[in-house]
Amino acid sequence: LSFIRKGQLIIDGVDDHAFPISNYFEKNITKVGVSTFSHFETVFQNTAKNHVPTELVSYFDYYLKEREDELNQRNVTKIKVVQNKLIRMQQDKKKVYLMKDIDLAFKKEFEAWNLKNDYSPNTILSNLKEIKILCNHARKKGLTINSEFEEIKTAHKKAISIYLNFDELEKIENIELKIQEQDIARDW
């Protein structure tokens, strides 16, 4: 239990949400028995421990904590990258996305924002795949998830591979360069 302010019981670890309590309880806290107060504290602490966040960005932390023993460092990093990207997107759009907001309209917004920020289509699809994994997890935890999230397709597009053949490499190696920076770059 953190503190009581203006009729609200503020609990640590609940995504900065406050649970309202009656003004009577706040005004008459000295009249309420210790056992009653302890009961309220226990109820609210259990609520905080079992709280499943409904905000998309907050759910990332919940998911990582839930699966910390199952995920390797590479997966954790990948998930945090997507989370940070969503934080930036929310700041740009001045909007908070909830888990129930993940639908085809969200996909279009996400793709548009990513393309505007010069992310490749395959990166965007990979990020959407991570978000879908979180949606499946949230549904198993009892959250209401928009059924459209299942329609979000995440098939990768074939990337164009650009490479030089041996003749082109030999031409680069034999060309006379007068600028030192170009000569250094050629060695790469």
Side-chain angles (χ1 to χ4, degrees):
L1 177 67
S2 292
F3 57 91
I4 297 174
R5 180 186 73 217
K6 294 183 183 177
Q8 293 182 328
L9 180 61
I10 310 301
I11 303 172
D12 289 333
V14 188
D15 296 334
D16 299 323
H17 287 84
F19 292 96
I21 60 171
S22 70
N23 286 330
Y24 176 84
F25 182 72
E26 180 183 13
K27 292 175 186 173
N28 299 293
I29 197 162
T30 55
K31 296 178 188 175
V32 176
V34 173
S35 64
T36 305
F37 185 75
S38 295
H39 171 71
F40 276 112
E41 184 178 18
T42 303
V43 167
F44 285 115
Q45 284 177 347
N46 287 340
T47 301
K49 288 178 191 169
N50 298 325
H51 176 70
V52 179
T54 57
E55 293 178 10
L56 178 59
V57 169
S58 299
Y59 198 85
F60 277 81
D61 293 325
Y62 176 80
Y63 177 79
L64 289 170
K65 186 167 177 72
E66 281 275 311
R67 305 223 24 232
E68 66 187 337
D69 295 334
E70 302 168 33
L71 298 172
N72 62 35
Q73 188 57 44
R74 181 176 172 267
N75 287 336
V76 170
T77 301
K78 192 166 44 168
I79 291 166
K80 286 184 178 185
V81 165
V82 177
Q83 180 186 32
N84 288 328
K85 192 181 287 189
L86 283 164
I87 290 169
R88 290 192 314 274
M89 181 177 155
Q90 287 186 155
Q91 290 169 344
D92 286 354
K93 296 200 170 273
K94 295 176 178 45
K95 182 177 182 179
V96 174
Y97 294 97
L98 303 176
M99 293 301 293
K100 66 181 181 179
D101 295 335
I102 309 307
D103 57 10
L104 294 173
F106 169 83
K107 178 190 180 205
K108 287 180 184 178
E109 275 185 65
F110 187 76
E111 286 175 334
W113 183 87
N114 277 276
L115 289 170
K116 181 182 137 198
N117 287 283
D118 298 323
Y119 288 100
S120 76
N122 283 339
T123 299
I124 297 167
L125 293 173
S126 176
N127 293 165
L128 284 168
K129 183 178 177 182
E130 292 299 324
I131 294 169
K132 281 184 71 172
I133 290 169
L134 264 69
C135 287
N136 277 319
H137 186 268
R139 185 171 49 189
K140 289 176 186 171
K141 290 293 180 181
L143 286 185
T144 302
I145 303 297
N146 191 316
S147 60
E148 278 189 14
F149 98 91
E150 294 174 357
E151 296 176 36
I152 296 173
K153 302 297 180 215
T154 59
H156 285 280
K157 297 176 180 169
K158 185 172 167 69
I160 299 170
S161 297
I162 300 174
Y163 58 92
L164 301 173
N165 62 34
F166 290 114
D167 291 337
E168 292 167 327
L169 290 170
E170 190 175 323
K171 285 179 185 177
I172 291 171
E173 184 179 346
N174 295 330
I175 193 168
E176 176 106 16
L177 298 172
K178 295 180 172 117
I179 301 171
Q180 183 180 9
E181 287 82 8
Q182 289 176 338
D183 193 40
I184 292 170
R186 169 178 44 196
D187 292 339
W188 283 95

